[in-house]
Amino acid sequence: MTTVHVPAPRPTAADLSVWPASTTEAAHGDLAVGGVPLTEIADRFGTPVYVLDEAEVRERCRTYRDEFPEAEVLYAAKAFLCRAMAHWIDEEGLGLDVCSAGELELAVTTGFPPERIVLHGNAKSPRDLDTALRLGVGRIVIDSPSEIARLAAAVGPDGHQKVMARVVPGISAGGHEKIRTGSDDQKFGLSISDGYAQHAIARILDQPQLELTGLHCHLGSQITTVKPYLVAVRRMVGLMMRLHEQHGLVLPELDLGGGHGIAYRPGEPALDLTTLARRIRAELADACATAGLPEPRLLIEPGRAIAGPAGVALYHVLAVKHTGDRIFVAVDGGMSDNPRPALYGVRYAPRLVGRRSTAAPARVTVVGRHCEAGDVLASDVDLPRDVHPGDLLAVPVAGAYHLSMASGYNLVGRPPLTAVRDGHARLLVRRESLDDIRNRDVGL
Ligand SMILES: *Cc1c(COP(=O)(O)O)cnc(C)c1O
C-alpha cells in the first residue's frame, strides 16, 4: 500500500501586493504600515480610523514625475484632500485639480500656489467662480456653453483668465458605468461629434479676457488599459487640427485627465504607467506630425492612483451573524465612510489583523453598521472561520474616494485620518464628534 503524503496546509505568506510598500508583518498577526503597527493605531485613535502612508503618497507623486517628466501632473483633489495632503502634493512638485470653492480654498489657505491649480466642474456655482478669480486660480476648465459669458463677465473687460475647454472625445472607458465620462451620453463636457465643442470654443475665442490654453478630456475612472488614452490623443489632436484650420489657433496644452486604474485586490490589473507614458508620447508625436501641429505640453490628472493605495481603513468587528448559508461580519463603519461598494460594486480584500488564527477560512460578507441592506463593505471574502466581535479588520487601498465621499448617515460621525511615517502616527483629521454634529444643528 502506498502512502500518499498530503502536505499540511502551511500558512502562506500574506499577499501584501495591494498594500503600501512599507507594510510589514509584525508580531501576533499584526501588520505595520509606515513602521507603525495597525493595532497601535486602532488603540490610540479608536475605530473606524483611516491610515495614510505619507511615504507612499510621496513615492507615487515621484513616480508620476519620473514617468512623465515633460508633463504637468495635477493631483485630483476630489480623491482625497486635507491640508497635509496639499502640502505633500506641493512639495512633490505636482499641481492640483479642484472642483469646488471648498477644495480650492482649503488648498490655497494651506499655501498651495493658486497658479498651479485647475478648477473643474460641470456646474460651477457663482461662489466657485468668484473664489477662483479672487484666489487667482491658474486655469478654469469650461464645461458648458453658459459658463463662457458668465465667466467672461466675472473676469471683467480688463481682467484675464486662462481657460481650457472640456471636450467629450466619444470614448467609453472606465471601471463602471457611473464613472465613465468620455462618451456622449453623460453630463460632463462638450461633445465633438455634435459640434458643441467647436461652437463653444469659437465663443471662448470671442472673449478677449479669456485665454484658451488647450483642450481637456477625462475619460472616466479605474481605466486599466492604455488604448482609450491613445484613442483620446488622436481625437483631441484631430480637433486641434480643425481648430487650427478654422481659427489659425495653435493650442499650447493638452490635458488628458486621470482615471488611471489601480488594483483593489491581489491579482487585479492596474494601469502600467511606464507603458502609458511611452505610448502616449509616441501617439502624440505621431498625431501632431500628421496634423502639422507643434506638440502641446501634456497635462495629466491622477487621483486614486496617488491616494488610493496609500490608505488603509481599520474597523472593529461588532457582530457576526450566521443566516442560512451566509456569514455576515458587521463592523463599526460602513457606507458612511466608504460608499463605493454600494455605489459601484467595488470589491475589497479585508484581512484580520492583530490576532493570528489557525482556523480554516470561511466565505463571509463584511457589512457596515448602517440601516441599509446595501451597506456592504466586502462581499464573498475569506476570513478565518473564528472571526468574532472585537477582531480588528484592515481594508487596504482605502485612500481615495472614501473619506472624501463620507457622509453623515445615521449620525455615526466621520472617522479620523491619521498619517504614518518613519514609525510615527499623527492625527491629520480628527473624528467627527457629536458636538460637531450638534453645532451645525442651529434651529429648534
Ligand atoms: C475624477 C477626475 C480625475 C481623477 O480621476 P481618478 O480616477 O481618481 O484618477 C481627474 N480629472 C477629472 C476632471 C476628474 O473629474
Side-chain angles (χ1 to χ4, degrees):
M1 204 179 110
T2 50
T3 27
V4 179
H5 178 68
V6 182
R10 283 197 312 149
T12 48
D15 186 340
L16 298 176
S17 59
V18 299
W19 286 74
S22 71
T23 308
T24 53
E25 304 231 30
H28 311 298
D30 205 353
L31 290 178
V33 177
V36 185
L38 294 179
T39 49
E40 187 184 310
I41 294 176
D43 286 345
R44 195 172 143 204
F45 301 100
T47 58
V49 59
Y50 279 77
V51 186
L52 202 55
D53 182 339
E54 177 178 343
E56 183 77 22
V57 171
R58 290 184 183 273
E59 188 51 39
R60 287 177 174 271
C61 293
R62 283 172 206 164
T63 300
Y64 270 100
R65 299 278 320 263
D66 291 347
E67 298 289 358
F68 294 88
E70 75 287 14
E72 194 169 334
V73 183
L74 306 158
Y75 169 64
K78 71 172 196 259
F80 174 72
L81 187 69
C82 67
R83 296 187 307 132
M85 189 79 180
H87 269 297
W88 305 340
I89 297 296
D90 179 22
E91 282 174 1
E92 297 304 330
L94 273 61
L96 199 66
D97 241 29
V98 299
C99 55
S100 72
E103 290 177 355
L104 175 58
E105 195 134 14
L106 186 79
V108 174
T109 54
T110 303
F112 203 96
E115 64 276 7
R116 289 197 348 243
I117 301 181
V118 175
L119 175 68
H120 285 280
N122 73 302
K124 299 176 196 74
S125 70
R127 185 172 150 248
D128 293 334
L129 289 181
D130 289 348
T131 308
L133 297 179
R134 175 168 56 82
L135 298 178
V137 82
R139 308 176 193 78
I140 296 175
V141 180
I142 290 179
D143 199 297
S144 69
S146 63
E147 212 179 320
I148 300 166
R150 204 150 66 88
L151 180 60
V155 171
D158 301 325
H160 174 258
Q161 178 61 52
K162 286 186 179 170
V163 299
M164 303 188 91
R166 176 156 179 174
V167 167
V168 184
I171 298 164
S172 187
H176 188 276
E177 183 204 330
K178 289 179 190 165
I179 52 173
R180 290 181 192 149
T181 55
S183 54
D184 284 331
D185 51 359
Q186 50 77 49
K187 70 174 183 173
F188 292 99
L190 304 153
S191 169
I192 298 183
S193 60
D194 62 7
Y196 234 67
Q198 295 88 316
H199 186 69
I201 288 166
R203 285 179 50 195
I204 296 171
L205 297 176
D206 281 342
Q207 305 285 350
Q209 61 270 54
L210 302 184
E211 176 191 348
L212 182 68
T213 66
L215 304 180
H216 173 280
C217 68
H218 172 69
L219 303 178
S221 263
Q222 194 53 9
I223 299 168
T224 52
T225 59
V226 168
K227 186 81 185 296
Y229 292 98
L230 304 181
V231 178
V233 167
R234 287 280 162 191
R235 301 221 175 136
M236 300 297 273
V237 173
L239 177 56
M240 287 164 63
M241 188 176 75
R242 292 196 293 284
L243 293 171
H244 181 241
E245 287 164 4
Q246 280 166 19
H247 307 283
L249 187 64
V250 177
L251 292 170
E253 296 178 337
L254 175 62
D255 190 332
L256 292 178
H260 308 162
I262 57 176
Y264 283 87
R265 295 180 299 168
E268 283 181 357
L271 186 60
D272 184 74
L273 296 184
T274 309
T275 310
L276 180 73
R278 178 171 49 81
R279 302 280 309 271
I280 285 183
R281 204 171 288 131
E283 197 78 9
L284 187 60
D286 190 59
C288 289
T290 308
L293 289 173
E295 276 181 52
R297 175 152 204 239
L298 202 62
L299 283 75
I300 53 168
E301 307 174 331
R304 95 181 52 225
I306 285 178
V312 175
L314 290 177
Y315 304 97
H316 270 116
V317 174
L318 294 179
V320 177
K321 191 180 285 178
H322 296 250
T323 65
D325 54 356
R326 313 229 6 214
I327 304 174
F328 290 102
V329 175
V331 299
D332 53 2
M335 67 193 302
S336 69
D337 66 88
N338 178 11
R340 304 185 67 249
L343 263 182
Y344 20 74
V346 183
R347 309 280 308 273
Y348 287 89
R351 65 166 269 171
L352 176 68
V353 289
R355 176 171 76 81
R356 212 179 280 290
S357 171
T358 50
R363 194 45 55 106
V364 307
T365 300
V366 178
V367 296
R369 52 160 301 163
H370 292 283
C371 305
E372 302 264 332
D375 178 24
V376 171
L377 280 179
S379 49
D380 298 326
V381 294
D382 284 341
L383 285 177
R385 184 168 289 280
D386 63 356
V387 62
H388 56 70
D391 275 343
L392 193 61
L393 296 188
V395 180
V397 204
Y401 304 106
H402 282 221
L403 285 186
S404 67
M405 286 185 151
S407 75
Y409 189 39
N410 291 149
L411 299 191
V412 163
R414 288 169 288 180
L417 180 88
T418 63
V420 289
R421 192 185 74 187
D422 302 331
H424 296 285
R426 63 189 198 278
L427 189 63
L428 294 185
V429 182
R430 67 166 170 77
R431 186 181 304 282
E432 190 174 29
S433 66
L434 185 58
D435 271 348
D436 292 324
I437 295 166
R438 210 167 15 217
N439 281 339
R440 293 185 57 230
D441 188 334
V442 294
L444 204 61

